[in-house]
Amino acid sequence: MEKVTVLRVVVLAVLWLGLLSGCGSSEERTEFVIGFSQCTSGDNWRQLMQDEMHMELAKYPEIDLLIEDAESDSYQQIQQIKDLVARGIDLLIVSPNEAAPITPIIEEVYYDNIPVIIIDRRINSRLYTAYIGADNEEVGRVAGAYAANLLGGNGRILEIWGLRGSSPAISRHDGFRQSLEGFSELTVVGEVDGRWEKDVVEEVLTEDYLLEQDIDLIFAHNDRMALGAFLVAKEAGIDDELHIIGIDGLPGPNRGVQFVQDGILDATALYPTGGVEAIRTAVNILYDQEFSKENILSTIIIDSQNVDVIKSYSDRITALMNSYDEQLTTIREDRRKHQYEQFMYASLSALLGLLLLGISLLLFSSRDRNQTFRSRIASMEKQISSLATIGVAGKVPAELEADTEAPQPVAEDADAATEAGRTEKEEAFLRSFMDAIEINLTNPEFGVKELCAELGMSRVQLYRRVKGILGKKVSDYLQQRRLQLSKELLREKEYSISETAFQAGFSSPSYFSTAFKGRYGITPSEFKQQMLNKNND
Ligand code: FRU
């Protein structure tokens, strides 16, 4: 077989595969990526928050969630936020480990026009798009009022702090103290740093301290630390006499609600995770729907009075969540199976096509390179590459810009075709972006506004996305495509300049001429003349 023929087969095969894989992947396009910077994923409260997020996100298969776990390290969290931004996220959700160190980076992201949702812990600034979480001062106040009532206004209290630099710890402390004001016989005899963790409490709180200080009540900033305190009190043999109040009120075994039911805690203040609300708000922001900046979730005290009711509700919710989770897994498996089948089908068709092509080539080339067959191949190639121009949209700019007859400076746009480094998601997005443009290219009424409507994105979102991938403005890209089309029309058709302008989607011939000259350095008439001269040569 001639070298040229082999080359053609390879080109055809590549185009074929490109087209087929393009078809296969078009089904589930990722339109948005949400980055979630979680201060830690290592406890059950945060696990519930993430489960809630995934559950709510299951409704939006076009949205991806990237979660980064900062492992309670603020400096790691700053780095992870930077990485998420570099990966091109459309929105950031963040639960800051500590307020002060995380504030500057959040302000930076916000100034970068990336919407930011703060969840649970706050920063020291108002520069964010939305906040989701309960009012921690109120949570502290509710716990304080409960403590005062339980002790009859008289007793010795120990407060166990969460991480000092994190906003819930500060606010819970403030609220708790506010409720104790006016009770002169209530004394907070000590404070211990538990940093939100049970193990830390077991390490820093000693049996001797509890006995010496004659503590009546322990207020811990969360239930995990409250459990740690209970275990120390048990060792000291005073767990029966001591009152303990925690915060979180998680459902499920070995968590807050269960601790109250088992008598380990006197009470816990419910602190909802806000996972569902965060995703709902994110979706509203991404789709330009209304949303509130401050979303304050409510709290209640869970104690022996209401724990049974709460437990039966929370059990039902947990069961529902589990069954939902199972259903989700099944749906995902089905989807994966379907995608695999599609992929296999596409690959087999491509292989079959190749095989047929190879056999035909062998047959025909053995008949002394039959001329008719060659011209058939040539026309097939043409058809496939024109199909590829529309179908494999990511390749459009390179192929069109490779036009050697184009006047200077055409090569400047070769950058648009730099595919190296584009992720699959970006390719998928480009495909729908370019399809929308190709279909409407000749319509002068079609501009950036109409493009946004067609893609279901806001101007800002589209701008950022396209700029990030192609390195150019949406309007520039649209105009570039129209100018390329006009060049082809001028080269191939007998249209006048005004007719060409309208055919290429320009609303006025004079604007078309200016834009053409601006881009190619010569007027459309000069270009047309050049083409005529060339044809006559
Ligand atoms: C979980 C947690 C909760 C607490 C919250 C405060 O990591 O420690 O127990 O209520 O963080 O941000």
Side-chain angles (χ1 to χ4, degrees):
M1 235 189 284
E2 257 178 29
K3 256 190 191 161
V4 177
T5 316
V6 175
L7 204 74
R8 281 182 172 166
V9 174
V10 173
V11 169
L12 277 170
V14 170
L15 285 173
W16 218 320
L17 280 168
L19 271 177
L20 287 168
S21 60
C23 299
S25 64
S26 68
E27 210 184 53
E28 234 180 63
R29 290 178 177 171
T30 298
E31 297 296 347
F32 295 111
V33 180
I34 298 177
F36 176 29
S37 167
Q38 173 72 294
C39 52
T40 167
S41 290
D43 61 68
N44 39 36
W45 189 86
R46 306 252 162 215
Q47 281 306 325
L48 179 64
M49 179 196 268
Q50 289 170 205
D51 287 351
E52 285 184 19
M53 287 181 166
H54 287 301
M55 230 175 69
E56 187 60 18
L57 264 176
K59 296 187 207 156
Y60 309 95
E62 76 283 15
I63 301 181
D64 263 8
L65 180 68
L66 302 175
I67 302 184
E68 290 294 345
D69 173 3
E71 298 170 319
S72 302
D73 178 340
S74 301
Y75 295 93
Q76 181 160 321
Q77 185 161 36
I78 295 171
Q79 203 42 55
Q80 288 177 341
I81 293 174
K82 287 184 183 163
D83 289 348
L84 284 170
V85 170
R87 282 155 81 181
I89 52 168
D90 298 288
L91 182 146
L92 175 72
I93 302 179
V94 55
S95 191
N97 187 47
E98 293 163 289
I102 305 298
T103 301
I105 181 73
I106 303 280
E107 290 186 334
E108 236 176 77
V109 177
Y110 181 79
Y111 276 131
D112 232 15
N113 276 332
I114 299 175
V116 182
I117 297 179
I118 310 279
I119 184 167
D120 155 49
R121 302 186 187 175
R122 288 188 179 269
I123 52 169
N124 296 335
S125 158
R126 293 269 305 161
L127 294 179
Y128 52 82
T129 316
Y131 171 78
I132 316 279
D135 175 346
N136 277 296
E137 218 170 275
E138 173 64 11
V139 171
R141 265 194 300 272
V142 165
Y146 192 88
N149 188 38
L150 200 64
L151 295 178
N154 187 336
R156 295 168 65 79
I157 299 174
L158 170 70
E159 180 178 359
I160 302 183
W161 274 74
L163 186 63
R164 291 258 178 189
S166 65
S167 70
I170 299 163
S171 303
R172 289 173 191 182
H173 165 83
D174 291 347
F176 185 74
R177 293 306 177 97
Q178 282 163 27
S179 287
L180 301 191
E181 278 165 20
F183 292 96
S184 54
E185 303 298 312
L186 281 179
T187 330
V188 179
V189 294
E191 292 180 8
V192 166
D193 281 349
R195 307 175 66 87
W196 299 121
E197 298 310 327
K198 165 179 161 282
D199 295 351
V200 177
V201 173
E202 284 186 279
E203 227 176 276
V204 295
L205 184 64
T206 62
E207 297 149 46
D208 288 350
Y209 179 86
L210 288 181
L211 294 169
E212 276 161 22
Q213 291 295 327
D214 194 17
I215 305 289
D216 298 307
L217 183 144
I218 295 179
F219 166 53
H221 287 185
N222 72 5
D223 291 342
R224 291 197 308 284
M225 296 190 298
L227 176 65
F230 168 81
L231 294 174
V232 178
K234 198 165 178 203
E235 284 292 310
I238 53 166
D239 51 305
D240 281 345
E241 302 136 46
L242 195 70
H243 299 291
I244 306 179
I245 299 174
I247 293 174
D248 279 348
L250 281 182
N254 279 324
R255 299 179 189 177
V257 173
Q258 176 84 56
F259 296 155
V260 173
Q261 210 170 34
D262 294 349
I264 292 174
L265 302 185
D266 287 81
T268 174
L270 177 73
Y271 186 60
T273 72
V276 170
E277 292 79 1
I279 295 303
R280 285 188 186 155
T281 306
V283 169
N284 286 341
I285 295 172
L286 290 172
Y287 287 104
D288 270 342
Q289 305 293 312
E290 271 182 30
F291 65 93
S292 310
K293 178 156 179 165
E294 298 297 321
N295 302 272
I296 306 303
L297 311 172
S298 38
T299 182
I300 58 160
I301 277 282
I302 303 168
D303 67 357
S304 56
Q305 299 290 309
N306 60 4
V307 70
D308 289 337
V309 183
I310 302 240
K311 173 92 169 43
S312 84
Y313 270 111
S314 64
D315 282 352
R316 267 157 68 186
I317 293 170
T318 311
L320 272 177
M321 273 182 79
N322 288 342
S323 105
Y324 194 76
D325 213 45
E326 273 166 26
Q327 285 177 39
L328 263 185
T329 316
T330 321
I331 292 170
R332 275 196 208 112
E333 270 164 14
D334 284 356
R335 208 183 277 157
R336 234 174 276 138
K337 235 191 212 142
H338 178 66
Q339 277 171 349
Y340 176 72
E341 280 165 11
Q342 266 197 328
F343 171 75
M344 287 308 285
Y345 173 75
S347 315
L348 280 177
S349 321
L351 277 178
L352 202 66
L354 256 182
L355 208 68
L356 284 175
L357 202 65
I359 292 171
S360 328
L361 276 174
L362 277 178
L363 282 177
F364 278 94
S365 65
S366 66
R367 280 193 220 155
D368 203 15
R369 299 179 178 94
N370 185 309
Q371 202 49 44
T372 332
F373 177 72
R374 287 239 196 103
S375 58
R376 270 223 221 122
I377 290 277
S379 98
M380 267 173 76
E381 275 176 10
K382 234 182 165 178
Q383 276 176 33
I384 291 185
S385 49
S386 67
L387 259 179
T389 305
I390 299 164
V392 192
K395 297 183 175 64
V396 170
E399 280 158 18
L400 288 171
E401 286 293 10
D403 178 0
T404 49
E405 286 177 81
Q408 294 303 318
V410 170
E412 78 189 81
D413 279 323
D415 62 348
T418 319
E419 288 184 16
R422 257 184 224 156
T423 63
E424 258 176 50
K425 275 171 219 147
E426 287 171 339
E427 283 291 332
F429 164 76
L430 264 189
R431 230 175 274 136
S432 45
F433 167 74
M434 290 178 174
D435 283 354
I437 288 185
E438 295 310 308
I439 292 165
N440 295 291
L441 204 56
T442 58
N443 174 7
E445 311 275 293
F446 186 80
V448 178
K449 191 168 148 227
E450 289 67 27
L451 182 59
C452 289
E454 190 142 337
L455 295 174
M457 296 171 90
S458 72
R459 250 175 204 272
V460 182
Q461 286 162 353
L462 187 65
Y463 173 89
R464 272 212 324 269
R465 207 82 204 271
V466 173
K467 186 90 184 171
I469 303 175
L470 294 178
K472 60 177 68 176
K473 293 200 281 185
V474 180
S475 51
D476 288 350
Y477 180 80
L478 191 59
Q479 191 189 71
Q480 175 197 335
R481 283 293 301 120
R482 287 194 161 126
L483 288 171
Q484 286 167 341
L485 176 62
S486 74
K487 240 171 33 186
E488 275 173 41
L489 294 173
L490 287 170
R491 196 168 21 225
E492 282 162 20
K493 306 274 183 207
E494 293 294 303
Y495 295 144
S496 68
I497 302 300
S498 336
E499 279 169 340
T500 307
F502 292 122
Q503 290 290 337
F506 286 90
S507 48
S508 101
S510 63
Y511 173 60
F512 163 54
S513 298
T514 320
F516 195 97
K517 176 124 197 231
R519 181 166 190 84
Y520 300 124
I522 55 172
T523 64
S525 338
E526 285 164 348
F527 177 67
K528 196 172 172 67
Q529 196 51 52
Q530 271 187 13
M531 291 299 112
L532 281 175
N533 296 344
K534 204 167 175 193
N535 290 343
N536 294 337
D537 283 348

